[in-house]
Amino acid sequence: MGAARNGRHKAQRHCLGGYPDTTLAGAREKAREARSKIQQGIDPVVERRALRSALLAQQVRDITFEQCASEVIKKKQAESRNAKHAQQWENTLKTYAYPVLGKMAVADVELAHVLKVLEPEWETKTETMTRVRQRIEAVIAWATVHGHRSGDNPARWKGNLDAILPKPSKVSKVKHHKALPIDDMGEFMAKLRQQQGMAAKALEFTILTAARSGEVRGATWGEIDLPNAVWTIPAGRMKAEKEHRVPLSKQVVTLLESLPRHAEFVFPAPRGGKFSDASMAAVLKRMGVDATVHGFRSTFRDWAAERTSYPHHVCEMALAHTIKNAAEAAYRRGDLMEKRARLMQDWAMFCSKIQPKGDVVPLRKAEV
């Protein structure tokens, strides 16, 4: 009985502070306050624990939006094989979100704050601001899951911002890459083959493979299988992060066989390493051609659609486009190499033939 009583008194013992920080007079005053609370039915020990717990909880909630974003960016850097993608996250948030949300406690971010970030440039930089919205939503979702805030996500689009901001597709003007007309390809390629320098060779290779500029600039000899006429681009260098095999036409194999192999890259810069993104564009500018490097993918797609009978999915796979239809993607597991090899050979042959211009001459003469 006595032991239980002693235990109870021990559990209720309340520290008044230590000497010399707490004076005798101060200790007596704290003791009077404690007795007063006990008389009111308040346990000072329980109250103190509750205050400490509330303080710790508040410290968790007081983490800023920028601190949360930093953690999300670290996660993206670990997940992404493309360092540029994670850097874009950091750059866009730093430019557009941090000036408004950066130093705010993430728990305090509301719809009005998100709108303050998005509204000023939503209609002039729609594509960029759409990405900013998605990234703000991701940061707030991370904060919610980690207990730094609760409630709905104020950056959510459906059933939230879509009721306030114009739909991106309604205000965004799609900018198409300038493409060369189909019938100009033969004449252009003949002039291109007269150009000197590695960038001109790289541009020819880019056009004949219908590849993206970055994929070509980063191509290494280790990816090229000349005996089997295949270029295998690893997943880490593809936009869709999936390995892509490119069948090489006879013209492309001949081009590659003519190149020196003293460097790692197939098309090395004059001082070694990869050449810049502007190098192939400079070739077009020097030739006086009003088109972009990426635009030749559009020319290839137009030619395949208008001048050939190759199925749509074969042409899309040649461009390494992702199959958006989930059911179709599930069933199409092969890469259609044989069909794509014929397609790319036909494209190379078309690019090597100058198309006649002027009036069309009828095959059958009219009767006099």
Side-chain angles (χ1 to χ4, degrees):
M1 188 80 174
R5 196 162 45 243
N6 290 336
R8 184 166 61 252
H9 288 314
K10 186 176 181 181
Q12 293 175 345
R13 191 171 295 165
H14 179 56
C15 180
L16 300 176
Y19 179 83
D21 294 331
T22 303
T23 64
L24 182 60
R28 286 171 178 166
E29 180 59 31
K30 289 183 179 180
R32 279 194 294 269
E33 291 175 1
R35 282 195 296 271
S36 176
K37 288 184 178 181
I38 291 171
Q39 290 170 356
Q40 298 172 38
I42 302 172
D43 187 333
V45 176
V46 174
E47 182 185 45
R48 187 173 180 179
R49 288 174 182 166
L51 289 172
R52 185 182 293 112
S53 177
L55 177 61
L56 292 173
Q58 188 61 44
Q59 289 174 343
V60 170
R61 288 193 295 272
D62 283 347
I63 186 172
T64 66
F65 177 88
E66 187 173 344
Q67 288 173 318
C68 293
S70 178
E71 294 302 316
V72 175
I73 290 169
K74 287 179 184 176
K75 180 174 178 290
K76 291 294 177 183
Q77 289 172 335
E79 293 175 345
S80 179
R81 296 179 181 178
N82 187 348
K84 185 178 178 181
H85 178 63
Q87 188 63 47
Q88 287 173 342
W89 266 71
E90 186 172 4
N91 292 343
T92 53
L93 289 174
K94 184 177 181 180
T95 302
Y96 300 103
Y98 290 175
V100 177
L101 309 177
K103 302 305 178 185
M104 285 184 64
V106 73
D108 295 335
V109 177
E110 297 179 357
L111 178 61
H113 304 122
V114 176
L115 284 173
K116 191 174 180 180
V117 174
L118 301 177
E119 273 189 318
E121 299 185 270
W122 183 258
E123 295 189 23
T124 56
K125 297 181 180 178
T126 311
E127 185 176 354
T128 298
M129 299 315 293
T130 298
R131 291 195 180 112
V132 171
R133 183 205 67 76
Q134 293 169 342
R135 288 162 188 175
I136 292 174
E137 182 180 15
V139 171
I140 294 177
W142 182 93
T144 302
V145 170
H146 286 78
H148 301 303
R149 63 171 287 130
S150 60
D152 292 336
N153 193 321
R156 189 183 73 254
W157 176 255
K158 192 172 182 180
N160 185 47
L161 286 171
D162 64 345
I164 303 172
L165 297 173
K167 192 175 181 181
S169 60
K170 298 296 183 182
V171 295
S172 178
K173 294 180 180 179
V174 179
K175 293 183 180 179
H176 295 286
H177 295 278
K178 290 184 178 180
L180 202 68
I182 299 172
D183 289 329
D184 290 349
M185 281 303 301
E187 185 177 352
F188 165 78
M189 290 296 283
K191 292 180 180 178
L192 176 61
R193 285 166 178 151
Q194 295 174 2
Q195 301 296 311
Q196 300 298 315
M198 191 61 73
K201 299 289 186 183
L203 179 57
E204 181 182 352
F205 180 88
T206 302
I207 294 169
L208 294 180
T209 57
R212 297 181 178 88
S213 170
E215 295 161 4
V216 173
R217 290 186 296 110
T220 64
W221 284 109
E223 299 171 359
I224 305 293
D225 180 359
L226 279 178
N228 293 305
V230 175
W231 171 31
T232 303
I233 311 174
R237 295 206 306 104
M238 292 299 299
K239 184 177 181 180
E241 296 187 350
K242 182 180 179 181
E243 182 183 275
H244 180 59
R245 293 199 303 161
V246 181
L248 304 177
S249 64
K250 295 177 181 178
Q251 288 82 345
V252 173
V253 170
T254 300
L255 169 65
L256 291 173
E257 288 175 339
S258 70
L259 299 177
R261 301 193 191 185
H262 54 73
E264 175 189 7
F265 293 104
V266 177
F267 303 101
R271 296 181 181 179
K274 291 191 294 185
F275 59 81
S276 71
D277 193 25
S279 299
M280 287 190 280
V283 175
L284 293 173
K285 186 176 181 180
R286 188 166 65 243
M287 294 174 65
V289 176
D290 187 23
T292 66
V293 177
H294 197 85
F296 286 99
R297 283 167 58 88
S298 297
T299 303
F300 165 78
R301 190 66 187 86
D302 291 342
W303 165 82
E306 297 176 20
R307 306 294 176 86
T308 80
S309 58
Y310 285 100
H312 170 83
H313 59 271
V314 174
C315 303
E316 288 296 287
M317 193 166 285
L319 291 166
H321 283 166
T322 302
I323 301 173
K324 296 181 179 180
N325 185 304
E328 183 181 356
Y331 282 103
R332 187 170 295 130
R333 297 177 182 176
D335 59 3
L336 308 175
M337 275 296 286
E338 290 186 13
K339 292 181 179 179
R340 288 196 290 124
R342 291 195 294 271
L343 170 66
M344 301 316 293
Q345 185 59 53
D346 286 348
W347 168 240
M349 292 174 67
F350 175 81
C351 289
S352 299
K353 183 179 179 182
I354 297 177
Q355 303 301 312
K357 295 184 178 180
D359 296 333
V360 177
V361 179
L363 296 177
R364 184 176 297 174
K365 293 182 179 180
E367 294 181 4
V368 178

